[in-house]
């Protein structure tokens, strides 16, 4: 009986864990796949400019929001697992509002200090192209962090395969868009592609959760 129970637990962890492991791999590819396409079609200067701005902004946003996600997840999990699903979702909404308010301050500041950031923080020449990269990368990073909160109900309900499917679709969209449009519109398009694909993942998650909730209500 002990070995049967152990097998069932391990099988449960495997079914939950392998899609999540692949999800992490794909989310990493989403952050770097555009670099290979830029490197293939454009110049080293374009790649360097994009990489420098992207890494500082994207990783900066991730580090800024990490404490919110790390602190909020156990609270949501405790509420959800104890049967207080409504309270867990209400707490999730509060975190989303909190992240949004922080981002509004960031994006307003970034808009007025773009040139300072590029020249003084990154240490490269300010150009129209480098200035145009700032806001779409910021919005893409924010939407991705927002999606990390929004998809929590899928984690709670062990829908890691659904998360994997949505991230795969986002990655495919990213690669296809970049292959077709980076040669034509240049490195700036990669920043908008990052934004668009983060939005794809977020919207797929929102629509799926909304559909399931609607179906559950109709079922009851």
């Amino acid at each position: 009986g002990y070995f049967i129970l152990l097998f069932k637990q391990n099988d449960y962890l495997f079914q939950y864990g392998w899609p999540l492991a692949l999800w992490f791999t794909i989310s990493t590819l989403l952050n770097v796949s555009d670099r290979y396409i830029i490197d293939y079609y454009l110049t080293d200067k374009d790649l360097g400019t994009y990489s420098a701005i992207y890494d500082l902004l994207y990783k900066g946003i991730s580090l800024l929001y990490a404490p919110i996600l790390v602190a909020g997840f156990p609270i949501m999990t405790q509420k959800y697992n104890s049967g207080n699903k409504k309270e867990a979702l209400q707490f999730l909404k509060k975190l989303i509002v909190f992240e949004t308010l922080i981002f509004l301050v960031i994006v307003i500041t970034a808009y007025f200090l773009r040139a300072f950031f590029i020249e003084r923080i990154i240490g490269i020449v300010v150009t129209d192209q480098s200035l145009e990269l700032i806001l779409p990368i910021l919005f893409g990073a924010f939407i991705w962090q927002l999606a990390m909160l929004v998809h929590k109900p899928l984690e709670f309900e062990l829908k890691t395969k659904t998360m994997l499917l949505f991230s795969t679709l986002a990655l495919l969209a990213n690669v296809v868009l970049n292959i077709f449009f980076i040669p034509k519109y240049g490195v700036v398009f990669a920043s908008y592609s990052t934004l668009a694909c983060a939005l794809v993942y977020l919207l797929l998650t929102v629509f799926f959760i909304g559909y399931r909730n609607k179906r559950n209500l109709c079922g009851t």
Side-chain angles (χ1 to χ4, degrees):
Y2 171 78
F3 289 105
I4 293 175
L5 178 62
L6 185 63
F7 174 79
K8 288 182 178 180
Q9 288 177 338
N10 288 334
D11 183 63
Y12 169 82
L13 291 173
F14 177 76
Q15 293 300 323
Y16 175 83
W18 75 259
L20 200 58
L22 287 179
W23 181 92
F24 279 111
T25 301
I26 289 176
S27 66
T28 301
L29 290 175
L30 272 169
N31 289 327
V32 299
S33 60
D34 47 5
R35 318 288 178 92
Y36 294 100
I37 299 170
I38 292 171
D39 184 47
Y40 184 81
Y41 287 108
L42 304 178
T43 66
D44 291 341
K45 181 180 178 181
D46 290 324
L47 178 61
T49 299
Y50 179 81
S51 298
I53 294 174
Y54 183 99
D55 286 343
L56 274 177
L57 292 178
Y58 213 94
K59 291 177 181 178
I61 291 290
S62 299
L63 288 173
L64 178 65
Y65 284 139
I68 299 174
L69 192 62
V70 171
F73 182 67
I75 297 173
M76 284 186 288
T77 303
Q78 188 275 329
K79 291 179 181 295
Y80 201 92
N81 290 339
S82 62
N84 298 320
K85 295 183 179 181
K86 187 175 181 180
E87 287 186 19
L89 294 178
Q90 288 175 343
F91 184 76
L92 175 60
K93 291 177 182 177
K94 290 179 181 179
L95 292 181
I96 290 172
V97 171
F98 186 50
E99 283 199 355
T100 303
L101 292 175
I102 292 175
F103 179 71
L104 289 176
V105 175
I106 293 172
V107 77
I108 292 171
T109 304
Y111 178 80
F112 290 105
L113 296 179
R114 287 177 297 167
F116 175 84
F117 174 78
I118 292 169
E119 186 175 13
R120 300 297 181 183
I121 305 300
I122 298 180
I124 60 177
V125 177
V126 178
T127 63
D128 290 340
Q129 176 179 270
S130 61
L131 287 172
E132 196 173 347
L133 286 171
I134 299 292
L135 292 184
I137 290 176
L138 271 179
F139 273 96
F142 166 68
I143 291 174
W144 184 254
Q145 291 302 313
L146 204 61
M148 297 304 95
L149 286 176
V150 173
H151 79 190
K152 287 306 174 188
L154 297 183
E155 289 188 47
F156 296 150
E157 296 177 12
L158 311 181
K159 299 294 182 181
T160 51
K161 292 179 183 178
T162 302
M163 291 167 51
L164 175 60
L165 172 63
F166 292 164
S167 64
T168 302
L169 292 175
L171 176 61
L172 289 175
N174 181 271
V175 172
V176 170
L177 287 173
N178 283 333
I179 288 175
F180 275 97
F181 294 108
I182 282 179
K184 184 176 182 179
Y185 296 106
V187 71
V188 172
F189 181 83
S191 63
Y192 285 97
S193 176
T194 296
L195 167 60
C197 294
L199 195 58
V200 165
Y201 183 80
L202 176 62
L203 291 178
L204 286 172
T205 302
V206 169
F207 289 147
F208 180 81
I209 292 174
Y211 169 76
R212 290 190 80 253
N213 290 342
K214 184 178 179 180
R215 190 177 66 177
N216 290 338
L217 285 174
C218 292
T220 55

